[in-house]
Structures are given as structure tokens and as C-alpha cells.
Amino acid sequence: METVRGLVDAARRVQTEWAARSPEERAEVLLRLRRIVADRADSIAWVIQSDTAKIGAEALFEVGVACDYLRYLAHMAPRFLASRKAKTGWISHRRASVRYEPYGVIAAITPWNFPFAISMSTVNTALAAGNAVVLKPSEHSPATGKLVGELLAEATELPDLVKVAMGDGQTGAALVTAGVDKIAFTGSTATGTKIMAAAADSLTPLVLELGGKDAMIVCADADVQRAARGAVWGAMYGCGQVCMSIERAYVAAEIYEEFVEAVVAEARQVRSADGPDAQIGSMIGAFQREKVERQLDDARSSGARVLLGGRAVDGPGHRFEPTIVVDVDHDMAIMREETFGPVLPIMPVEDDEQAIRLANQSEYGLDASVWSRDSERANRIAERLEVGTVVVNDHLINYMMADLPFGGTRGSGFGRVHGREGLREFTRPKAIVEDRIALGREPYWFDGTGSGEESISALLDFRHGRRLRQKMAGGWRLIRNAVR
């Protein structure tokens, strides 16, 4: 069995060959991969379901997101990776450009909640930029991680370009210190903090896409029924195990009662079942269900009321009832800590100002949503929310938009995935300066006659009008004195 460092070394040996291909050639490989994935969508979805207990629609959604992102990368990466001309300022006899070069070997450490979509996104972005990858999938979704490696080996025809390191947190810790050139981690804030500390010793750069506690702000002029439907979907989709699930709602006091009533009615219709008619499936394991139960117990003990749900579902798996909680405040863990379950706590606010203040009162800063019929009002609020993305009158959908950068602030991490920003996270920009006109001696070199102060002074005058402004200022002083 190969050691983790052995996997990194194997990937490094083939990375040079891969990087030597043009972005267009690499794009052709990504399109081949897209065709393979699309043709095998049903069998891939079955593997995802076997690992995660997702319902079929969610598993197929992961496959669809992966295919769409591959299409985007293949079409846009050559443009985003092309070198660009740079302005040279007063060094006008020189020519400058910026080139985007791959790091080398990327460590991709990915989670269990979207084991196919996130792994495919991270790995293929790194490949598009010319890197090799060692993928460490979650120990809770090993079959999906193994499948990603197999699909990449088939499409690239380079078995060592994407190596898969199977194992638990110890394997991930070994990968972080195995000599990789950059780390891309998606997972909890606690684990991201440990990875960042370990990477500090070698100054290995990172992209961290961490937890969230997404806020939903419902203004007094919102379409209440639409907002209620969106709230239930945004909080319950994927059994709430989505980093940008709606995990707290701040609702204008004028419509609070109406909104709560509508949310309860909508959530009552969500089917958590073990069968083809289910709308949400099982949680990943007992540990996640117990976390939800602890937060609910803490909230109840502090005066919160559970209007719907609040209990585990009997039967196979680790299912949990869709749950609506009211009479909450920020002293409760359920309003501060990431929940990752099908739970929506709702809190009334007096005005937009209070909603903004409470939404920003969090260690996280991933996504948020604003619900209002007034576009200008919604955008004013959006500008003041300290998060990576704000969606108006919807939630979650930004991750489906491949051209949008995705990532957060504060405890939600740093760096971006997706879009041109995400692609360039996997490149080092290199500046190149060349001759436009070759001179025997540069005017700013030592010439043996002085410090060059006169030349610099003349250049300031020529480019920035320094002496002219000094003369004009002196003229205005003469005029003012004469008037006095």
C-alpha cells in the first residue's frame, strides 16, 4: 500500500507532463470526463446514495452540478489562464505580462455532505490549471471518493494524475505535511483551523471553505408565502446538511406571525421517509443527529418552543423530523453554532437595522439571503452583510452558478472556489518584464555622476505636473495677497 507521501510523489512525477499541455488540450480532457459522467449518471448517483443515504434526486443533483461545472471549466479556463499584458508606468521602454502557472500538487480534502460534486469541483479546477491532485475524501463517503479517482484516471489516461488517499483524519493530517504545494479543504471550521496550523510550519498556502450559519432576512414587504416556501427548502434540503443551509431566520415583526404560520404549514408537508416518495433522506450518522438533539435540548431549556418536529424518526438510517423553533435568541447554541440538520429557528426583528446587526453577529460569514419586493432595499441590506454571497428572494442557488466565486469570511474560511477567482486560486501569477527598446544604459542605473535626483525630479514634473502645480499655487497666493 502506498504511503501518503508516496501518493504525492507519484502525482508530482506526472504533473510536469500534464502542465506542459495547453489549457485547450486540458479542456478537451475535461469535456471527455463530462461525457463519461453524464452517461453514467444513474450508476454514479447510486454510489452516492449508498455512501450518504441521500434521496435519489439529491444524488442526481450532485452529478448534474459536476457536469455543468466541467462544461464551464472546459469553455472558460483557456481564457482565464491566458497571460495578460500589464502596464509598465514610467518604464515605458519595457514590455510586461502576467502568466498563470500551476502550483504543482494540490491536496484536496473534501467532505461527506456533497462527496461527488465538491470533490469533482476541487479536483477538476486544479487539473484545469495544470496541477496534479491527491484527493482525500471523507471516511464517511469512501466509495464516492474512490469512484472520482477512477473516473479521472479513465478520462485523463494518466492513472497517477489524481491519486486518492483513503482514510480518516490521520490520513488527512499526513497529507497536509506530505510536501504538497497547496491545500484545498472543505469541511468544518474546527478541522480547518487545525489544517491551517499544520500548514503554517511549511508556509503551505490554503483555500478553506468552512462552516456556515446562514441568515435569512425577511423584510416587511416580502412575499410571505414565497418566503416561507423558500425558507423550508433552504433549511431542509439535504436534511439541512449543506454548508449554506438557512440556519436562522430574522423576520420583520409586522409579518412574523403570518410567516411562522406559513413556514409550519410548508414544513409539515416535507416528507422524511425511507422510500421513493421521500423529500429528505437520512442524516449521515448518529453523531450528526445527536448534535442536532443537543442544540434543541439547549434551546428548550432556555425557553424556546418547538412548533413542529424536534424528534428523531424511527426506522432505518438516522432520519430527523423537519423542525421549526421559535422564541429563540443569540444566547442559544442553535442561533450561534452550525447545526447541519433539518432545523429552522425563527426570530422577530423590529427593523432592517436590527436584522443586519443580528445577521452579522456570528463567527461565520458564508451566505445569506434577503427577501423583499423592493430590489433597492434588498441590495442596500446585501451590501452590509458580512458574507461571501447574498441571494435575493432565494437561497442555495449560487453554488449552481459556476461563474460565481464561492467562499466566505471569518470562520467560514478564505479563498474562493468556482468562477475565474476559484480557478486562479490554483495558479501562481508570475510577472515577466522584457525589452521593448534595448538601451546601453538605463536612465535609473548608477552613472557615476550623482544620485540621479535631477532625473527623478524631471520625471515627476513630466508625468505628474509637480512644478506646474507649484507655480499655479504660487500665482494664486499672489492674487489673494493683492486682493487683501
Side-chain angles (χ1 to χ4, degrees):
M1 181 177 177
E2 290 181 282
T3 65
V4 172
R5 188 170 289 275
L7 296 175
V8 174
D9 291 342
R12 191 174 301 284
R13 283 191 292 270
V14 77
Q15 186 269 331
T16 304
E17 175 189 343
W18 176 250
R21 301 187 189 186
S22 69
E24 290 78 10
E25 290 173 317
R26 298 195 293 263
E28 285 299 318
V29 174
L30 297 182
L31 288 175
R32 184 190 313 152
L33 176 61
R34 173 188 171 224
R35 289 191 293 272
I36 293 170
V37 171
D39 290 345
R40 301 177 194 172
D42 291 335
S43 62
I44 293 170
W46 183 86
V47 175
I48 297 168
Q49 285 186 270
S50 300
D51 263 348
T52 63
K54 288 176 180 279
I55 64 171
E58 290 174 13
L60 275 174
F61 171 78
E62 286 204 51
V63 179
V65 168
C67 287
D68 206 55
Y69 190 63
L70 282 166
R71 180 180 184 274
Y72 171 81
L73 273 179
H75 285 91
M76 303 307 294
R79 180 187 306 178
F80 296 154
L81 296 174
S83 63
R84 69 172 181 85
K85 293 180 180 179
K87 297 189 180 302
T88 58
W90 60 12
I91 315 297
S92 57
H93 63 294
R94 294 288 191 175
R95 179 169 54 244
S97 62
V98 179
R99 301 173 189 176
Y100 299 95
E101 299 183 347
Y103 274 90
V105 178
I106 305 296
I109 305 175
T110 57
W112 48 260
N113 61 329
F114 285 88
F116 190 75
I118 292 177
S119 294
M120 289 288 284
S121 168
T122 307
V123 169
N124 288 303
T125 305
L127 293 184
N131 300 281
V133 181
V134 177
L135 169 66
K136 192 279 173 190
S138 169
E139 62 271 31
H140 298 292
S141 53
T144 307
K146 181 173 180 287
L147 176 61
V148 170
E150 292 170 349
L151 291 168
L152 265 298
E154 180 180 347
T156 63
E157 299 179 341
L158 295 171
D160 289 338
L161 187 62
V162 178
K163 303 295 282 185
V164 180
M166 307 298 288
D168 58 14
Q170 291 183 326
T171 302
L175 178 57
V176 167
T177 57
V180 297
D181 300 295
K182 190 163 188 173
I183 301 161
F185 171 74
T186 302
S188 72
T189 301
T191 303
T193 302
K194 293 176 183 177
I195 289 174
M196 188 172 177
D201 287 340
S202 57
L203 293 179
T204 305
L206 306 98
V207 178
L208 297 179
E209 197 274 280
L210 307 178
K213 190 70 181 175
D214 283 12
M216 173 189 197
I217 295 177
V218 186
C219 300
D221 66 344
D223 180 332
V224 173
Q225 293 301 318
R226 175 182 168 79
R229 288 191 289 270
V232 171
W233 181 73
M236 310 300 170
Y237 181 81
C239 215
Q241 298 174 127
V242 185
C243 57
M244 65 271 206
S245 291
I246 297 175
E247 292 212 353
R248 49 199 173 114
Y250 302 104
V251 184
E254 302 97 299
I255 61 169
Y256 175 75
E257 296 295 338
E258 182 186 359
F259 178 81
V260 169
E261 182 180 345
V263 164
V264 170
E266 288 289 334
R268 203 182 297 278
Q269 299 177 50
V270 176
R271 296 184 297 279
S272 174
D274 182 33
D277 63 338
Q279 291 175 303
I280 60 174
S282 170
M283 303 185 79
I284 191 68
F287 69 93
Q288 194 61 38
R289 189 170 68 181
E290 289 164 3
K291 177 183 179 182
V292 173
E293 290 172 332
R294 285 195 302 272
Q295 286 193 7
L296 286 170
D297 288 344
D298 169 75
R300 287 191 186 99
S301 68
S302 299
R305 290 185 297 134
V306 176
L307 299 184
L308 182 73
R311 298 184 302 274
V313 178
D314 292 334
H318 306 280
R319 289 181 290 121
F320 202 86
E321 295 176 334
T323 301
I324 306 300
V325 189
V326 295
D327 297 342
V328 292
D329 59 48
H330 277 221
D331 291 330
M332 302 174 185
I334 205 165
M335 292 295 283
R336 300 190 320 273
E337 299 174 7
E338 188 174 45
T339 302
F340 238 56
V343 179
L344 178 61
I346 309 173
M347 184 175 176
V349 292
E350 292 304 315
D351 52 29
D352 294 349
E353 287 297 319
Q354 186 186 20
I356 294 167
R357 178 174 58 80
L358 290 172
N360 286 336
Q361 198 178 91
S362 174
E363 67 176 275
Y364 299 102
L366 191 54
D367 281 13
S369 57
V370 181
W371 302 71
S372 170
R373 288 187 171 96
D374 184 338
S375 177
E376 291 185 6
R377 179 184 194 176
N379 276 277
R380 285 197 301 271
I381 295 172
E383 288 173 359
R384 296 176 58 191
L385 295 176
E386 297 165 4
V387 295
T389 301
V390 181
V391 181
V392 176
N393 294 326
D394 208 339
H395 208 92
L396 298 178
I397 58 169
N398 52 297
Y399 195 83
M400 306 175 213
M401 300 176 183
D403 198 37
L404 283 179
F406 178 77
T409 63
R410 299 195 294 259
S412 292
F414 52 81
R416 293 295 182 265
V417 298
H418 292 184
R420 71 191 69 194
E421 295 85 356
L423 180 63
R424 287 179 180 167
E425 285 282 359
F426 293 98
T427 66
R428 291 187 179 102
K430 177 182 284 185
I432 304 291
V433 180
E434 307 171 80
D435 285 333
R436 188 194 304 274
I437 302 172
L439 303 177
R441 178 188 294 276
E442 300 296 340
Y444 40 81
W445 289 357
F446 296 137
D447 62 5
T449 62
S451 66
E453 181 178 344
E454 290 184 4
S455 298
I456 295 172
S457 181
L459 194 55
L460 278 167
D461 293 343
F462 175 71
R463 285 186 61 84
H464 304 292
R466 183 180 60 142
R467 292 281 170 83
L468 176 62
R469 281 195 298 276
Q470 289 174 347
K471 290 178 180 178
M472 291 177 63
W476 282 112
R477 280 196 297 273
L478 289 173
I479 293 170
R480 284 197 298 272
N481 291 337
V483 169
R484 289 176 187 156

